């Protein structure tokens, strides 16, 4: 597991862009954390980077449960499972087809046995100073690349 300090929303967005740069079809990014931890901020930046559109509207899928985007690398499905009790309704939302592209999931604990193996888990924690800390797990070889993108290139910040 790696910890990355995120002092503000710009740093959270930079992490989203860095992760997006490494995504490929079949990948899953699981965003964990309490309400207000920054999951949607990270997801928006990730989706805008994947779609190469910094101004793209990225509504929260809290009520629709899933939003789908056509990105150059693959179709991307952004799921918000806050309102689901468990994995039963995921098949009706197109989960199986979505997993052929890239999936970004907020509230992934509701996936249960449908949790993709090899997913990148990003757990966002609010710190006492009002910033965030991201704990990244999974993607063994690619986690170092995320950190390199964040530390080695000022344009990510």
């Amino acid at each position: 597991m790696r910890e990355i300090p995120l002092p503000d929303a710009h740093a959270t967005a930079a992490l989203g862009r860095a992760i997006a740069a490494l995504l490929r079809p079949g990948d899953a990014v699981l965003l964990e954390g309490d309400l207000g931890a920054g999951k949607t901020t990270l997801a928006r930046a990730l989706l805008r980077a994947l779609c190469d559109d910094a101004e793209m509207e990225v509504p929260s899928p809290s009520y629709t449960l899933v939003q789908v985007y056509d990105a150059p690398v693959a179709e991307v499905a952004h799921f918000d499972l806050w309102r689901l009790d468990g994995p039963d309704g995921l098949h009706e939302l197109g989960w199986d087809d979505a997993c052929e592209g890239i999936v970004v999931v907020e509230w992934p604990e509701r996936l249960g046995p449908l949790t993709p193996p090899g997913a990148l888990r990003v757990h966002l924690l609010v710190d006492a100073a009002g910033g965030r800390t991201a704990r990244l797990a999974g993607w063994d070889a690619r986690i170092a690349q995320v950190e390199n993108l964040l530390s080695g290139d000022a344009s990510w910040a």
Side-chain angles (χ1 to χ4, degrees):
M1 178 183 340
R2 306 280 177 108
E3 287 197 2
I4 298 173
L6 305 171
D8 54 32
H10 294 292
T12 302
L15 177 59
R17 291 189 300 272
I19 292 169
L22 302 172
L23 287 169
R24 54 188 180 232
D27 280 341
V29 179
L30 309 180
L31 303 176
E32 303 169 329
D34 293 335
L35 284 172
K39 296 180 299 295
T40 300
T41 298
L42 191 145
R44 281 188 176 124
L46 184 153
L47 290 162
R48 287 175 176 151
L50 276 174
C51 293
D52 196 26
D53 184 350
E55 301 301 319
M56 180 177 77
E57 185 174 339
V58 180
S60 172
S62 293
Y63 294 102
T64 60
L65 302 179
V66 63
Q67 294 285 124
V68 179
Y69 301 87
D70 288 319
V73 67
E75 187 171 85
V76 185
H78 178 199
F79 289 86
D80 185 327
L81 305 182
W82 170 250
R83 295 180 39 220
L84 290 186
D85 292 333
D88 294 340
L90 280 169
H91 297 293
E92 294 173 23
L93 295 172
W95 176 255
D96 296 324
D97 290 335
C99 288
E100 292 177 16
I102 296 168
V103 294
V104 178
V105 182
E106 296 184 50
W107 304 101
E109 59 275 9
R110 289 169 170 82
L111 288 170
L114 296 178
T115 301
L120 174 64
R121 290 185 173 274
V122 181
H123 191 127
L124 297 169
L125 301 155
V126 179
D127 63 35
R132 311 288 188 267
T133 298
R135 290 186 180 153
L136 279 63
W139 273 21
D140 297 331
R142 288 191 278 173
I143 280 192
Q145 291 177 297
V146 170
E147 289 181 311
N148 289 340
L149 285 171
L150 288 169
S151 65
D153 185 351
S155 68
W156 291 105

